[in-house]
mmCIF file of all heavy atoms in Angstrom:
data_model
loop_
_atom_site.group_PDB
_atom_site.id
_atom_site.type_symbol
_atom_site.label_atom_id
_atom_site.label_comp_id
_atom_site.label_asym_id
_atom_site.label_seq_id
_atom_site.Cartn_x
_atom_site.Cartn_y
_atom_site.Cartn_z
ATOM 1 N N GLN A 291 57.726 -17.577 11.988
ATOM 2 C CA GLN A 291 58.441 -17.024 10.800
ATOM 3 C C GLN A 291 58.922 -15.610 11.035
ATOM 4 O O GLN A 291 59.841 -15.161 10.360
ATOM 5 C CB GLN A 291 57.475 -17.064 9.579
ATOM 6 C CG GLN A 291 57.223 -18.487 9.079
ATOM 7 C CD GLN A 291 56.067 -18.567 8.120
ATOM 8 O OE1 GLN A 291 55.474 -17.563 7.731
ATOM 9 N NE2 GLN A 291 55.744 -19.782 7.711
ATOM 10 N N LYS A 292 58.322 -14.940 12.006
ATOM 11 C CA LYS A 292 58.750 -13.594 12.332
ATOM 12 C C LYS A 292 59.828 -13.613 13.403
ATOM 13 O O LYS A 292 60.236 -12.532 13.909
ATOM 14 C CB LYS A 292 57.572 -12.718 12.788
ATOM 15 C CG LYS A 292 56.581 -12.435 11.639
ATOM 16 C CD LYS A 292 55.434 -11.564 12.086
ATOM 17 C CE LYS A 292 54.416 -11.348 10.985
ATOM 18 N NZ LYS A 292 54.967 -10.624 9.819
ATOM 19 N N GLY A 293 60.272 -14.792 13.818
ATOM 20 C CA GLY A 293 61.418 -14.919 14.705
ATOM 21 C C GLY A 293 61.071 -15.120 16.188
ATOM 22 O O GLY A 293 61.974 -15.085 17.033
ATOM 23 N N HIS A 294 59.812 -15.343 16.517
ATOM 24 C CA HIS A 294 59.468 -15.468 17.923
ATOM 25 C C HIS A 294 59.405 -16.938 18.343
ATOM 26 O O HIS A 294 59.177 -17.836 17.510
ATOM 27 C CB HIS A 294 58.055 -14.810 18.162
ATOM 28 C CG HIS A 294 58.032 -13.397 17.710
ATOM 29 N ND1 HIS A 294 58.758 -12.413 18.341
ATOM 30 C CD2 HIS A 294 57.369 -12.764 16.677
ATOM 31 C CE1 HIS A 294 58.533 -11.241 17.746
ATOM 32 N NE2 HIS A 294 57.713 -11.465 16.712
ATOM 33 N N LYS A 295 59.589 -17.173 19.623
ATOM 34 C CA LYS A 295 59.517 -18.516 20.159
ATOM 35 C C LYS A 295 58.083 -18.856 20.411
ATOM 36 O O LYS A 295 57.315 -18.056 21.009
ATOM 37 C CB LYS A 295 60.287 -18.609 21.513
ATOM 38 C CG LYS A 295 60.202 -19.994 22.111
ATOM 39 C CD LYS A 295 60.871 -20.027 23.510
ATOM 40 C CE LYS A 295 60.706 -21.421 24.117
ATOM 41 N NZ LYS A 295 61.307 -21.455 25.495
ATOM 42 N N VAL A 296 57.632 -19.988 19.941
ATOM 43 C CA VAL A 296 56.236 -20.420 20.049
ATOM 44 C C VAL A 296 56.179 -21.817 20.613
ATOM 45 O O VAL A 296 56.913 -22.740 20.190
ATOM 46 C CB VAL A 296 55.514 -20.418 18.661
ATOM 47 C CG1 VAL A 296 54.114 -20.958 18.803
ATOM 48 C CG2 VAL A 296 55.520 -19.017 18.064
ATOM 49 N N THR A 297 55.332 -22.023 21.644
ATOM 50 C CA THR A 297 55.042 -23.330 22.172
ATOM 51 C C THR A 297 53.540 -23.554 22.103
ATOM 52 O O THR A 297 52.804 -22.722 22.566
ATOM 53 C CB THR A 297 55.508 -23.458 23.617
ATOM 54 O OG1 THR A 297 56.904 -23.169 23.740
ATOM 55 C CG2 THR A 297 55.270 -24.887 24.153
ATOM 56 N N ILE A 298 53.131 -24.654 21.479
ATOM 57 C CA ILE A 298 51.689 -24.952 21.359
ATOM 58 C C ILE A 298 51.359 -26.097 22.321
ATOM 59 O O ILE A 298 52.017 -27.136 22.339
ATOM 60 C CB ILE A 298 51.354 -25.342 19.926
ATOM 61 C CG1 ILE A 298 51.660 -24.188 18.971
ATOM 62 C CG2 ILE A 298 49.872 -25.743 19.825
ATOM 63 C CD1 ILE A 298 51.418 -24.493 17.499
ATOM 64 N N ILE A 299 50.355 -25.857 23.158
ATOM 65 C CA ILE A 299 49.880 -26.862 24.121
ATOM 66 C C ILE A 299 48.581 -27.457 23.624
ATOM 67 O O ILE A 299 47.573 -26.758 23.427
ATOM 68 C CB ILE A 299 49.636 -26.192 25.507
ATOM 69 C CG1 ILE A 299 50.861 -25.408 25.973
ATOM 70 C CG2 ILE A 299 49.259 -27.261 26.544
ATOM 71 C CD1 ILE A 299 52.109 -26.199 26.171
ATOM 72 N N GLU A 300 48.582 -28.763 23.406
ATOM 73 C CA GLU A 300 47.403 -29.438 22.854
ATOM 74 C C GLU A 300 46.965 -30.571 23.765
ATOM 75 O O GLU A 300 47.754 -31.454 24.110
ATOM 76 C CB GLU A 300 47.670 -29.983 21.441
ATOM 77 C CG GLU A 300 46.631 -30.864 20.864
ATOM 78 C CD GLU A 300 45.228 -30.238 20.843
ATOM 79 O OE1 GLU A 300 45.099 -29.102 20.356
ATOM 80 O OE2 GLU A 300 44.266 -30.896 21.317
ATOM 81 N N ARG A 301 45.707 -30.543 24.168
ATOM 82 C CA ARG A 301 45.187 -31.559 25.073
ATOM 83 C C ARG A 301 45.097 -32.950 24.502
ATOM 84 O O ARG A 301 45.279 -33.948 25.189
ATOM 85 C CB ARG A 301 43.773 -31.122 25.530
ATOM 86 C CG ARG A 301 43.081 -32.047 26.550
ATOM 87 C CD ARG A 301 41.691 -31.563 26.854
ATOM 88 N NE ARG A 301 40.876 -31.572 25.651
ATOM 89 C CZ ARG A 301 39.610 -31.110 25.596
ATOM 90 N NH1 ARG A 301 39.039 -30.587 26.671
ATOM 91 N NH2 ARG A 301 38.939 -31.122 24.477
ATOM 92 N N ASP A 302 44.787 -33.000 23.187
ATOM 93 C CA ASP A 302 44.570 -34.307 22.551
ATOM 94 C C ASP A 302 45.801 -34.789 21.805
ATOM 95 O O ASP A 302 46.836 -34.169 21.808
ATOM 96 C CB ASP A 302 43.400 -34.204 21.537
ATOM 97 C CG ASP A 302 42.086 -33.907 22.257
ATOM 98 O OD1 ASP A 302 41.860 -34.407 23.355
ATOM 99 O OD2 ASP A 302 41.257 -33.176 21.651
ATOM 100 N N ILE A 303 45.646 -35.936 21.170
ATOM 101 C CA ILE A 303 46.658 -36.444 20.241
ATOM 102 C C ILE A 303 46.015 -36.482 18.873
ATOM 103 O O ILE A 303 44.867 -36.870 18.740
ATOM 104 C CB ILE A 303 47.196 -37.818 20.674
ATOM 105 C CG1 ILE A 303 48.407 -38.271 19.848
ATOM 106 C CG2 ILE A 303 46.124 -38.872 20.677
ATOM 107 C CD1 ILE A 303 49.702 -37.561 20.166
ATOM 108 N N PHE A 304 46.735 -36.069 17.840
ATOM 109 C CA PHE A 304 46.164 -36.062 16.493
ATOM 110 C C PHE A 304 46.561 -37.339 15.792
ATOM 111 O O PHE A 304 47.627 -37.879 16.068
ATOM 112 C CB PHE A 304 46.694 -34.859 15.682
ATOM 113 C CG PHE A 304 46.072 -33.535 16.083
ATOM 114 C CD1 PHE A 304 45.306 -33.398 17.237
ATOM 115 C CD2 PHE A 304 46.279 -32.389 15.289
ATOM 116 C CE1 PHE A 304 44.761 -32.166 17.591
ATOM 117 C CE2 PHE A 304 45.731 -31.176 15.646
ATOM 118 C CZ PHE A 304 44.958 -31.077 16.787
ATOM 119 N N PRO A 305 45.750 -37.816 14.836
ATOM 120 C CA PRO A 305 44.496 -37.216 14.381
ATOM 121 C C PRO A 305 43.346 -37.430 15.329
ATOM 122 O O PRO A 305 43.315 -38.423 16.042
ATOM 123 C CB PRO A 305 44.249 -37.998 13.057
ATOM 124 C CG PRO A 305 44.909 -39.321 13.232
ATOM 125 C CD PRO A 305 46.113 -39.039 14.100
ATOM 126 N N ARG A 306 42.429 -36.498 15.298
ATOM 127 C CA ARG A 306 41.217 -36.566 16.119
ATOM 128 C C ARG A 306 40.066 -35.897 15.341
ATOM 129 O O ARG A 306 40.265 -35.016 14.538
ATOM 130 C CB ARG A 306 41.394 -35.910 17.504
ATOM 131 C CG ARG A 306 41.824 -34.465 17.515
ATOM 132 C CD ARG A 306 40.656 -33.508 17.512
ATOM 133 N NE ARG A 306 41.091 -32.117 17.643
ATOM 134 C CZ ARG A 306 41.344 -31.324 16.609
ATOM 135 N NH1 ARG A 306 41.312 -31.819 15.349
ATOM 136 N NH2 ARG A 306 41.687 -30.065 16.762
ATOM 137 N N PHE A 307 38.870 -36.379 15.599
ATOM 138 C CA PHE A 307 37.687 -35.919 14.875
ATOM 139 C C PHE A 307 37.369 -34.463 15.265
ATOM 140 O O PHE A 307 37.471 -34.069 16.405
ATOM 141 C CB PHE A 307 36.484 -36.801 15.125
ATOM 142 C CG PHE A 307 35.259 -36.364 14.407
ATOM 143 C CD1 PHE A 307 35.043 -36.768 13.093
ATOM 144 C CD2 PHE A 307 34.290 -35.551 15.005
ATOM 145 C CE1 PHE A 307 33.860 -36.343 12.427
ATOM 146 C CE2 PHE A 307 33.151 -35.142 14.358
ATOM 147 C CZ PHE A 307 32.940 -35.542 13.035
ATOM 148 N N SER A 308 36.919 -33.688 14.271
ATOM 149 C CA SER A 308 36.416 -32.356 14.558
ATOM 150 C C SER A 308 35.475 -31.968 13.433
ATOM 151 O O SER A 308 35.603 -32.407 12.309
ATOM 152 C CB SER A 308 37.560 -31.336 14.604
ATOM 153 O OG SER A 308 37.034 -30.021 14.858
ATOM 154 N N ILE A 309 34.448 -31.156 13.775
ATOM 155 C CA ILE A 309 33.558 -30.661 12.735
ATOM 156 C C ILE A 309 34.196 -29.341 12.218
ATOM 157 O O ILE A 309 35.200 -28.875 12.700
ATOM 158 C CB ILE A 309 32.141 -30.411 13.274
ATOM 159 C CG1 ILE A 309 32.136 -29.384 14.422
ATOM 160 C CG2 ILE A 309 31.499 -31.702 13.661
ATOM 161 C CD1 ILE A 309 30.733 -28.946 14.857
ATOM 162 N N GLY A 310 33.508 -28.744 11.219
ATOM 163 C CA GLY A 310 34.048 -27.567 10.552
ATOM 164 C C GLY A 310 34.857 -28.004 9.321
ATOM 165 O O GLY A 310 35.989 -27.628 9.140
ATOM 166 N N GLU A 311 34.155 -28.763 8.439
ATOM 167 C CA GLU A 311 34.882 -29.491 7.380
ATOM 168 C C GLU A 311 34.866 -28.773 6.025
ATOM 169 O O GLU A 311 35.582 -29.141 5.130
ATOM 170 C CB GLU A 311 34.243 -30.870 7.206
ATOM 171 C CG GLU A 311 34.296 -31.690 8.474
ATOM 172 C CD GLU A 311 33.047 -32.535 8.718
ATOM 173 O OE1 GLU A 311 31.960 -32.133 8.287
ATOM 174 O OE2 GLU A 311 33.190 -33.629 9.321
ATOM 175 N N SER A 312 34.067 -27.741 5.907
ATOM 176 C CA SER A 312 33.924 -27.019 4.630
ATOM 177 C C SER A 312 34.603 -25.662 4.779
ATOM 178 O O SER A 312 34.079 -24.738 5.419
ATOM 179 C CB SER A 312 32.455 -26.883 4.286
ATOM 180 O OG SER A 312 32.303 -26.481 2.950
ATOM 181 N N LEU A 313 35.788 -25.546 4.151
ATOM 182 C CA LEU A 313 36.533 -24.266 4.232
ATOM 183 C C LEU A 313 35.927 -23.237 3.293
ATOM 184 O O LEU A 313 35.109 -23.583 2.431
ATOM 185 C CB LEU A 313 37.995 -24.474 3.894
ATOM 186 C CG LEU A 313 38.732 -25.592 4.703
ATOM 187 C CD1 LEU A 313 40.225 -25.656 4.261
ATOM 188 C CD2 LEU A 313 38.648 -25.341 6.185
ATOM 189 N N LEU A 314 36.331 -21.994 3.412
ATOM 190 C CA LEU A 314 35.965 -20.928 2.507
ATOM 191 C C LEU A 314 37.212 -20.383 1.811
ATOM 192 O O LEU A 314 38.311 -20.464 2.368
ATOM 193 C CB LEU A 314 35.251 -19.781 3.272
ATOM 194 C CG LEU A 314 34.007 -20.158 4.050
ATOM 195 C CD1 LEU A 314 33.397 -18.929 4.720
ATOM 196 C CD2 LEU A 314 32.943 -20.830 3.137
ATOM 197 N N PRO A 315 37.054 -19.856 0.590
ATOM 198 C CA PRO A 315 38.252 -19.359 -0.108
ATOM 199 C C PRO A 315 39.119 -18.365 0.671
ATOM 200 O O PRO A 315 40.350 -18.349 0.544
ATOM 201 C CB PRO A 315 37.641 -18.719 -1.359
ATOM 202 C CG PRO A 315 36.453 -19.546 -1.612
ATOM 203 C CD PRO A 315 35.867 -19.840 -0.251
ATOM 204 N N GLN A 316 38.491 -17.546 1.515
ATOM 205 C CA GLN A 316 39.250 -16.615 2.330
ATOM 206 C C GLN A 316 40.291 -17.334 3.180
ATOM 207 O O GLN A 316 41.378 -16.785 3.470
ATOM 208 C CB GLN A 316 38.300 -15.790 3.237
ATOM 209 C CG GLN A 316 38.956 -14.926 4.296
ATOM 210 C CD GLN A 316 39.490 -13.632 3.772
ATOM 211 O OE1 GLN A 316 38.823 -12.634 3.709
ATOM 212 N NE2 GLN A 316 40.776 -13.597 3.389
ATOM 213 N N CYS A 317 39.999 -18.568 3.616
ATOM 214 C CA CYS A 317 40.943 -19.353 4.401
ATOM 215 C C CYS A 317 42.283 -19.513 3.714
ATOM 216 O O CYS A 317 43.348 -19.547 4.362
ATOM 217 C CB CYS A 317 40.368 -20.773 4.667
ATOM 218 S SG CYS A 317 39.027 -20.844 5.814
ATOM 219 N N MET A 318 42.251 -19.584 2.395
ATOM 220 C CA MET A 318 43.477 -19.855 1.626
ATOM 221 C C MET A 318 44.487 -18.689 1.781
ATOM 222 O O MET A 318 45.668 -18.901 1.683
ATOM 223 C CB MET A 318 43.152 -20.129 0.188
ATOM 224 C CG MET A 318 42.098 -21.210 -0.061
ATOM 225 S SD MET A 318 42.468 -22.789 0.748
ATOM 226 C CE MET A 318 43.782 -23.358 -0.325
ATOM 227 N N GLU A 319 43.970 -17.519 2.001
ATOM 228 C CA GLU A 319 44.818 -16.351 2.216
ATOM 229 C C GLU A 319 45.707 -16.557 3.442
ATOM 230 O O GLU A 319 46.902 -16.321 3.445
ATOM 231 C CB GLU A 319 44.008 -15.062 2.410
ATOM 232 C CG GLU A 319 42.928 -14.824 1.353
ATOM 233 C CD GLU A 319 43.434 -14.013 0.179
ATOM 234 O OE1 GLU A 319 44.600 -13.607 0.197
ATOM 235 O OE2 GLU A 319 42.615 -13.825 -0.764
ATOM 236 N N PHE A 320 45.105 -17.104 4.519
ATOM 237 C CA PHE A 320 45.805 -17.252 5.760
ATOM 238 C C PHE A 320 46.709 -18.487 5.749
ATOM 239 O O PHE A 320 47.765 -18.485 6.344
ATOM 240 C CB PHE A 320 44.778 -17.314 6.921
ATOM 241 C CG PHE A 320 43.808 -16.185 6.927
ATOM 242 C CD1 PHE A 320 42.442 -16.434 6.827
ATOM 243 C CD2 PHE A 320 44.256 -14.862 6.924
ATOM 244 C CE1 PHE A 320 41.521 -15.379 6.815
ATOM 245 C CE2 PHE A 320 43.315 -13.823 6.874
ATOM 246 C CZ PHE A 320 41.994 -14.088 6.809
ATOM 247 N N ILE A 321 46.242 -19.509 5.036
ATOM 248 C CA ILE A 321 47.093 -20.716 4.857
ATOM 249 C C ILE A 321 48.342 -20.315 4.071
ATOM 250 O O ILE A 321 49.473 -20.778 4.411
ATOM 251 C CB ILE A 321 46.301 -21.807 4.122
ATOM 252 C CG1 ILE A 321 45.202 -22.338 5.043
ATOM 253 C CG2 ILE A 321 47.205 -22.950 3.693
ATOM 254 C CD1 ILE A 321 44.213 -23.312 4.360
ATOM 255 N N ALA A 322 48.194 -19.445 3.076
ATOM 256 C CA ALA A 322 49.368 -18.945 2.345
ATOM 257 C C ALA A 322 50.273 -18.119 3.227
ATOM 258 O O ALA A 322 51.483 -18.240 3.190
ATOM 259 C CB ALA A 322 48.874 -18.147 1.107
ATOM 260 N N GLU A 323 49.651 -17.250 4.034
ATOM 261 C CA GLU A 323 50.474 -16.401 4.950
ATOM 262 C C GLU A 323 51.275 -17.254 5.911
ATOM 263 O O GLU A 323 52.410 -16.869 6.267
ATOM 264 C CB GLU A 323 49.511 -15.458 5.716
ATOM 265 C CG GLU A 323 50.227 -14.493 6.632
ATOM 266 C CD GLU A 323 49.317 -13.610 7.454
ATOM 267 O OE1 GLU A 323 48.061 -13.837 7.408
ATOM 268 O OE2 GLU A 323 49.805 -12.715 8.164
ATOM 269 N N ALA A 324 50.758 -18.402 6.307
ATOM 270 C CA ALA A 324 51.429 -19.306 7.227
ATOM 271 C C ALA A 324 52.470 -20.168 6.505
ATOM 272 O O ALA A 324 53.171 -20.954 7.192
ATOM 273 C CB ALA A 324 50.436 -20.187 7.923
ATOM 274 N N GLY A 325 52.573 -20.063 5.199
ATOM 275 C CA GLY A 325 53.550 -20.876 4.473
ATOM 276 C C GLY A 325 53.155 -22.276 4.220
ATOM 277 O O GLY A 325 54.034 -23.180 4.047
ATOM 278 N N MET A 326 51.871 -22.575 4.199
ATOM 279 C CA MET A 326 51.388 -23.948 4.125
ATOM 280 C C MET A 326 50.562 -24.257 2.875
ATOM 281 O O MET A 326 49.928 -25.293 2.763
ATOM 282 C CB MET A 326 50.605 -24.341 5.378
ATOM 283 C CG MET A 326 51.374 -24.192 6.658
ATOM 284 S SD MET A 326 50.396 -24.642 8.126
ATOM 285 C CE MET A 326 51.602 -24.378 9.427
ATOM 286 N N LEU A 327 50.514 -23.283 1.952
ATOM 287 C CA LEU A 327 49.611 -23.412 0.796
ATOM 288 C C LEU A 327 49.975 -24.622 -0.064
ATOM 289 O O LEU A 327 49.098 -25.392 -0.494
ATOM 290 C CB LEU A 327 49.650 -22.125 -0.021
ATOM 291 C CG LEU A 327 48.592 -22.045 -1.142
ATOM 292 C CD1 LEU A 327 47.181 -22.147 -0.540
ATOM 293 C CD2 LEU A 327 48.744 -20.741 -1.901
ATOM 294 N N LYS A 328 51.245 -24.826 -0.309
ATOM 295 C CA LYS A 328 51.707 -25.929 -1.171
ATOM 296 C C LYS A 328 51.333 -27.290 -0.536
ATOM 297 O O LYS A 328 50.827 -28.166 -1.222
ATOM 298 C CB LYS A 328 53.221 -25.889 -1.370
ATOM 299 C CG LYS A 328 53.748 -26.977 -2.293
ATOM 300 C CD LYS A 328 55.241 -26.856 -2.529
ATOM 301 C CE LYS A 328 55.752 -27.951 -3.413
ATOM 302 N NZ LYS A 328 57.248 -27.855 -3.627
ATOM 303 N N ALA A 329 51.498 -27.392 0.758
ATOM 304 C CA ALA A 329 51.164 -28.665 1.460
ATOM 305 C C ALA A 329 49.674 -28.944 1.404
ATOM 306 O O ALA A 329 49.251 -30.075 1.181
ATOM 307 C CB ALA A 329 51.624 -28.593 2.906
ATOM 308 N N VAL A 330 48.852 -27.917 1.598
ATOM 309 C CA VAL A 330 47.403 -28.104 1.557
ATOM 310 C C VAL A 330 46.910 -28.429 0.133
ATOM 311 O O VAL A 330 46.097 -29.309 -0.083
ATOM 312 C CB VAL A 330 46.686 -26.856 2.119
ATOM 313 C CG1 VAL A 330 45.172 -26.932 1.894
ATOM 314 C CG2 VAL A 330 46.972 -26.697 3.609
ATOM 315 N N ASN A 331 47.461 -27.682 -0.837
ATOM 316 C CA ASN A 331 47.069 -27.901 -2.245
ATOM 317 C C ASN A 331 47.418 -29.309 -2.722
ATOM 318 O O ASN A 331 46.712 -29.845 -3.601
ATOM 319 C CB ASN A 331 47.712 -26.887 -3.150
ATOM 320 C CG ASN A 331 47.024 -25.533 -3.132
ATOM 321 O OD1 ASN A 331 45.865 -25.451 -2.779
ATOM 322 N ND2 ASN A 331 47.739 -24.488 -3.499
ATOM 323 N N SER A 332 48.449 -29.904 -2.186
ATOM 324 C CA SER A 332 48.920 -31.199 -2.715
ATOM 325 C C SER A 332 48.439 -32.370 -1.820
ATOM 326 O O SER A 332 48.849 -33.504 -2.069
ATOM 327 C CB SER A 332 50.467 -31.227 -2.792
ATOM 328 O OG SER A 332 51.027 -31.006 -1.516
ATOM 329 N N ALA A 333 47.561 -32.092 -0.889
ATOM 330 C CA ALA A 333 47.165 -33.149 0.089
ATOM 331 C C ALA A 333 46.043 -34.046 -0.444
ATOM 332 O O ALA A 333 45.709 -35.020 0.219
ATOM 333 C CB ALA A 333 46.772 -32.535 1.403
ATOM 334 N N GLY A 334 45.398 -33.685 -1.573
ATOM 335 C CA GLY A 334 44.361 -34.515 -2.114
ATOM 336 C C GLY A 334 42.998 -34.290 -1.530
ATOM 337 O O GLY A 334 42.106 -35.162 -1.650
ATOM 338 N N PHE A 335 42.736 -33.144 -0.920
ATOM 339 C CA PHE A 335 41.427 -32.831 -0.392
ATOM 340 C C PHE A 335 40.474 -32.548 -1.503
ATOM 341 O O PHE A 335 40.856 -32.158 -2.646
ATOM 342 C CB PHE A 335 41.500 -31.625 0.570
ATOM 343 C CG PHE A 335 42.295 -31.887 1.813
ATOM 344 C CD1 PHE A 335 43.402 -31.079 2.116
ATOM 345 C CD2 PHE A 335 41.998 -32.922 2.671
ATOM 346 C CE1 PHE A 335 44.161 -31.301 3.271
ATOM 347 C CE2 PHE A 335 42.725 -33.164 3.805
ATOM 348 C CZ PHE A 335 43.818 -32.349 4.137
ATOM 349 N N GLN A 336 39.183 -32.625 -1.180
ATOM 350 C CA GLN A 336 38.123 -32.396 -2.182
ATOM 351 C C GLN A 336 38.047 -30.903 -2.506
ATOM 352 O O GLN A 336 37.898 -30.055 -1.631
ATOM 353 C CB GLN A 336 36.753 -32.857 -1.651
ATOM 354 C CG GLN A 336 35.570 -32.479 -2.495
ATOM 355 C CD GLN A 336 35.577 -33.165 -3.865
ATOM 356 O OE1 GLN A 336 35.694 -34.396 -3.902
ATOM 357 N NE2 GLN A 336 35.404 -32.433 -4.920
ATOM 358 N N LEU A 337 38.147 -30.573 -3.794
ATOM 359 C CA LEU A 337 38.037 -29.184 -4.222
ATOM 360 C C LEU A 337 36.629 -28.689 -3.898
ATOM 361 O O LEU A 337 35.653 -29.374 -3.986
ATOM 362 C CB LEU A 337 38.274 -29.047 -5.723
ATOM 363 C CG LEU A 337 38.352 -27.638 -6.279
ATOM 364 C CD1 LEU A 337 39.645 -26.949 -5.883
ATOM 365 C CD2 LEU A 337 38.194 -27.668 -7.823
ATOM 366 N N LYS A 338 36.551 -27.392 -3.521
ATOM 367 C CA LYS A 338 35.292 -26.722 -3.266
ATOM 368 C C LYS A 338 35.241 -25.438 -4.095
ATOM 369 O O LYS A 338 36.068 -24.552 -3.889
ATOM 370 C CB LYS A 338 35.084 -26.424 -1.811
ATOM 371 C CG LYS A 338 33.772 -25.696 -1.475
ATOM 372 C CD LYS A 338 33.698 -25.342 0.013
ATOM 373 C CE LYS A 338 32.452 -24.533 0.323
ATOM 374 N NZ LYS A 338 32.372 -24.112 1.738
#
């Protein structure tokens, strides 16, 4: 979003299992900064 070229290298193919399933409210600040808050809010995840 700041205009830089980004390439992400990922070893696996998604979806894949991972632990770390309980987010904290502070996470939402960074999700919003990344421009993904609407997508996360509307995805049907369990409210915490």
Side-chain angles (χ1 to χ4, degrees):
Q291 289 167 4
K292 293 182 183 296
H294 305 293
K295 179 184 177 182
V296 176
T297 304
I298 299 176
I299 308 298
E300 170 55 50
R301 181 184 62 184
D302 295 324
I303 188 76
F304 285 13
R306 57 90 176 92
F307 180 84
S308 179
I309 59 169
E311 300 143 330
S312 193
L313 306 182
L314 302 181
Q316 171 80 89
C317 289
M318 307 306 287
E319 310 270 357
F320 309 121
I321 292 170
E323 184 183 5
M326 300 180 180
L327 190 58
K328 182 178 179 180
V330 171
N331 281 339
S332 60
F335 295 122
Q336 173 65 51
L337 187 73
K338 178 184 177 183

